[in-house]
Amino acid sequence: MVKVLSDSTCDLSQELVKRYDIGIIPLYVRLGDDEYLDGVNISPEELYKWSDEHGETPKTAAPGIDDISKYLDPASSDEYIIFTISSSMSASYNNVKLAAEDMDMSDRVHVIDSANLSTGIGLLVVHAAELVKEGKTVKEIVEEIEALKDKVRASFVIDTLVYLYRGGRCSGLAALFGTALKLHPRIAVAGGAMHPEKKYRGSSKKYVLDYVKDMEADLKNARPERVFITHSGCDKEIVKNVKEYLEGLGIFAEILETRAGSVVSSHCGPGTLGVLFIDK
């Protein structure tokens, strides 16, 4: 068998995880002295509450070699394709490689550095699972996924700069002025790292839709299988408006809404929303 796994930063819903039989390896989230597992025993809402009470961003950590080893069976003949968050953002990729080496399974464990985060990873994970169902070989799947990585379009628009400031990704002055001026940056993932692209102003209903409309040309050139609306806790009406806009384009077979997990939410804060897809 070929098994597809990912670390928890892929932010796939439980429904998708079950539909495609995907194994999820959780990262750690640390709130002070207390340690939790992303997507298992901590929610973004609990994380926001703690962050606001303590004025700091929770710490996150990659799964350890022992944690990863539990998902690998050296006695079987199974082959594994394991996705991780960008190696420039976490030790997750290196730890999976080390776990495979430690268990003498490097020939059967194929680790993919997604060079992405959140459902930017999830898009690749789901596609790999579909290729498994089609009966493709591991070599064919890995080659196709590696060719697709640069075509993933992952971006988010941030509601509050407070969490980026607490996490050291935004200066205090920038956060102060940005908040005062009600600026909402668009952050895109490229080359395995996050880059600010543009700033929006106005109410959340306005700037979120402006962000999506700015991508219309790219969306019209997207692969039609699916698009993700991934958010860290947004007003239902805002998400509904984005979904209706995407439906109106008449491009995508599936428009999937997912909640960002605790690792991504801890850095972006509540109200963040992204539309993620793969270019043709």
Side-chain angles (χ1 to χ4, degrees), residues 43-193:
S43 71
E45 283 71 26
E46 292 169 300
L47 182 150
Y48 299 146
K49 183 173 183 292
W50 183 91
S51 185
D52 290 341
E53 287 173 355
H54 292 80
E56 59 182 283
T57 295
K59 302 290 187 290
T60 59
I65 293 170
D66 289 343
D67 300 315
I68 296 158
S69 297
K70 295 171 187 173
Y71 292 83
L72 306 174
D73 182 3
S76 76
S77 59
D78 293 338
E79 292 197 83
Y80 300 82
I81 299 173
I82 305 181
F83 291 80
T84 72
I85 188 172
S86 173
S87 59
S88 66
M89 299 178 188
S90 169
S92 187
Y93 173 79
N94 283 334
N95 286 358
V96 175
K97 296 277 282 187
L98 290 170
E101 289 171 15
D102 196 48
M103 300 179 76
D104 199 24
M105 293 177 65
S106 294
D107 59 327
R108 291 196 284 124
V109 177
H110 309 270
V111 193
I112 293 178
D113 175 359
S114 71
N116 224 299
L117 53 74
S118 191
T119 45
I121 310 168
L123 285 159
L124 297 172
V125 174
V126 168
H127 188 62
E130 288 179 327
L131 294 175
V132 169
K133 287 187 176 183
E134 290 173 16
K136 301 275 189 179
T137 67
V138 166
K139 184 175 183 291
E140 289 171 330
I141 296 168
V142 171
E143 284 178 355
E144 184 162 336
I145 294 299
E146 290 291 346
L148 272 183
K149 276 168 39 173
D150 287 342
K151 295 183 177 182
V152 173
R153 298 292 172 258
S155 65
F156 301 85
V157 64
I158 308 290
D159 183 55
T160 173
L161 295 170
V162 170
Y163 287 74
L164 289 175
Y165 166 63
R166 288 175 185 165
R169 296 177 186 271
C170 169
S171 74
L173 198 60
L176 178 66
F177 279 109
T179 301
L181 295 171
K182 293 187 169 64
L183 294 177
H184 309 281
R186 167 178 164 155
I187 309 289
V189 182

Side-chain angles (χ1 to χ4, degrees), residues 216-259:
E216 184 167 323
D218 290 333
L219 287 163
K220 286 180 175 177
N221 192 47
R223 290 176 62 121
E225 292 90 346
R226 65 188 54 84
V227 60
F228 277 101
I229 303 170
T230 302
H231 63 90
S232 61
C234 285
D235 183 281
K236 288 181 181 178
E237 189 178 348
I238 291 172
V239 178
K240 179 172 171 283
N241 290 343
V242 173
K243 188 172 185 181
E244 287 176 352
Y245 176 80
L246 292 173
E247 285 172 344
L249 295 177
I251 295 162
F252 299 102
E254 270 192 312
I255 299 172
L256 300 163
E257 178 191 346
T258 59
R259 277 292 302 264

Side-chain angles (χ1 to χ4, degrees), residues 210-221:
D210 287 345
Y211 150 75
V212 182
K213 287 178 179 177
D214 277 349
M215 290 189 284
E216 184 167 323
D218 290 333
L219 287 163
K220 286 180 175 177
N221 192 47

